[in-house]
Amino acid sequence: MAPVKVFGPAMSTNVARVLVCLEEVGAEYEVVDIDFKAMEHKSPEHLVRNPFGQIPAFQDGDLLLFESRAIAKYVLRKYKTNGVDLLREGDLKEAAMVDVWTEVDAHTYNPAISPIVYECLINPLMRGLPTNQTVVDESLEKLKKVLEVYEARLSQHEYLAGDFVSFADLNHFPYTFYFMATPQMVPKKP
Amino acid sequence: MAPVKVFGPAMSTNVARVLVCLEEVGAEYEVVDIDFKAMEHKSPEHLVRNPFGQIPAFQDGDLLLFESRAIAKYVLRKYKTNGVDLLREGDLKEAAMVDVWTEVDAHTYNPAISPIVYECLINPLMRGLPTNQTVVDESLEKLKKVLEVYEARLSQHEYLAGDFVSFADLNHFPYTFYFMATPQMVPKKP
């Protein structure tokens, strides 16, 4: 069976969301880089994969997909046969809790944490822009309140959706990984 | 069987997303209003339903859910027995296309259309704020580009996910409904 293909740089959080899922289910895959500087994401070839010209895109034989969460769920459903069930769609209540905390990641956790990652890492390291500390401070305040709810949830259950690891947890990895490398989390050397 | 409960004002787009799904599957339900002026969404009773103090929340017996897309999918799975299958989770490729266009609604269509609805309806009618025409014009430009992709998609297929109506289509109803009432869509009376 030909390996599935993921189009986009692995360092992108949305590409990483797909890769984490592929790794969890032990699927064979190939990462095809997309050269943003050469505007490859807006090329006719890529627009066939993703009509909005974004990354990631995904190919499995003649099936083309885009939108990282949709790709990730396809991967988790397809390779569920490997014995890893991270969507729990066979159980009405468990599937609902996976969905709830997947949506919380998208609409509450990410909007709080992503500006910190942009301001502290992406802007200074990749775009040559200074860190806007006001944005960082406001986002940190927001994130603290969000994490209080997470703390309460995780004091009742082992994982976000319940007492089982799920897609909801995996969704938090990409931004949290980068957040751990920001000055908030890495103490300055003396 | 006791009807399920939806907490939040029906005029909210996120509440409406859930109600559209309940209507589509013919489920019995009750809408319980939440009084924002009385800060009922931050009350201890409501925080049990939704720890982030937002609407909608949902109750089915002892199951409490929040996040409108998660609630909607629970509803569509639970009442699939009524003969309406809007998630297509039994078909790997169809389910993936439903997910793709559901994500496009959340991350591309809504961010383009919602500022227009806020500026033209919600701010002037509910908050006594003037319409910021610059925001409207920029969002209209963005929306036009998004709709070009939709036009291409819908010239190939009857519905967004394919030749079947799905959750992806329903997700577009709430904001599109309000957008149709904005000055962009309603000609001024002479």
Side-chain angles (χ1 to χ4, degrees), chain A residues 10-41:
Chain A
M11 71 181 296
S12 142
T13 50
N14 286 329
V15 174
R17 182 194 320 281
V18 174
L19 301 184
V20 165
C21 291
L22 285 161
E23 286 290 336
E24 277 298 304
V25 296
E28 218 183 317
Y29 64 93
E30 183 187 336
V31 179
V32 183
D33 200 18
I34 294 289
D35 187 344
F36 276 72
K37 281 185 187 156
M39 293 296 282
E40 208 187 333
H41 56 304

Side-chain angles (χ1 to χ4, degrees), chain B residues 119-186:
Chain B
E119 291 297 338
C120 294
L121 298 180
I122 298 173
N123 282 353
L125 300 181
M126 295 181 63
R127 298 172 176 173
L129 295 170
T131 296
N132 182 331
Q133 196 58 40
T134 309
V135 172
V136 174
D137 293 343
E138 285 171 1
S139 299
L140 279 172
E141 277 310 300
K142 209 186 281 183
L143 184 61
K144 276 179 196 164
K145 283 182 191 141
V146 172
L147 289 179
E148 282 170 19
V149 177
Y150 276 67
E151 190 64 34
R153 175 74 186 164
L154 292 171
S155 70
Q156 293 173 327
H157 297 282
E158 278 187 62
Y159 297 96
L160 288 170
D163 295 321
F164 53 89
V165 68
S166 78
F167 181 49
D169 306 292
L170 295 194
N171 272 297
H172 291 75
F173 278 20
Y175 269 115
T176 308
F177 174 83
Y178 284 117
F179 178 71
M180 299 302 284
T182 63
Q184 275 68 39
M185 301 305 291
V186 180

Side-chain angles (χ1 to χ4, degrees), chain B residues 23-174:
Chain B
E23 287 289 336
E24 277 297 304
V25 296
E28 217 184 317
Y29 64 92
E30 184 188 336
V31 178
V32 182
D33 200 19
I34 295 291
D35 188 344
F36 276 72
K37 282 185 186 155
M39 293 295 281
E40 209 188 331
H41 56 306
K42 301 294 183 193
S43 67
E45 292 78 15
H46 191 71
L47 288 173
V48 171
R49 298 176 202 126
N50 181 340
F52 295 102
Q54 295 164 340
I55 49 105
F58 177 85
Q59 186 175 9
D60 183 6
D62 60 0
L63 179 71
L64 293 172
L65 297 176
F66 60 102
E67 281 290 341
S68 63
R69 292 170 188 84
I71 298 168
K73 285 163 69 184
Y74 172 82
V75 164
L76 296 182
R77 287 188 192 118
K78 173 167 174 157
Y79 296 99
K80 207 180 86 173
T81 46
N82 290 1
V84 185
D85 181 7
L86 294 169
L87 294 174
R88 302 263 170 164
E89 286 175 350
D91 184 300
L92 199 54
K93 290 187 182 183
E94 287 180 355
M97 295 316 293
V98 174
D99 286 338
V100 166
W101 288 93
T102 296
E103 295 292 331
V104 170
D105 171 69
H107 302 291
T108 307
Y109 185 79
N110 278 3
I113 201 169
S114 65
I116 305 169
V117 170
Y118 270 81
E119 291 297 338
C120 294
L121 298 180
I122 298 173
N123 282 353
L125 300 181
M126 295 181 63
R127 298 172 176 173
L129 295 170
T131 296
N132 182 331
Q133 196 58 40
T134 309
V135 172
V136 174
D137 293 343
E138 285 171 1
S139 299
L140 279 172
E141 277 310 300
K142 209 186 281 183
L143 184 61
K144 276 179 196 164
K145 283 182 191 141
V146 172
L147 289 179
E148 282 170 19
V149 177
Y150 276 67
E151 190 64 34
R153 175 74 186 164
L154 292 171
S155 70
Q156 293 173 327
H157 297 282
E158 278 187 62
Y159 297 96
L160 288 170
D163 295 321
F164 53 89
V165 68
S166 78
F167 181 49
D169 306 292
L170 295 194
N171 272 297
H172 291 75
F173 278 20

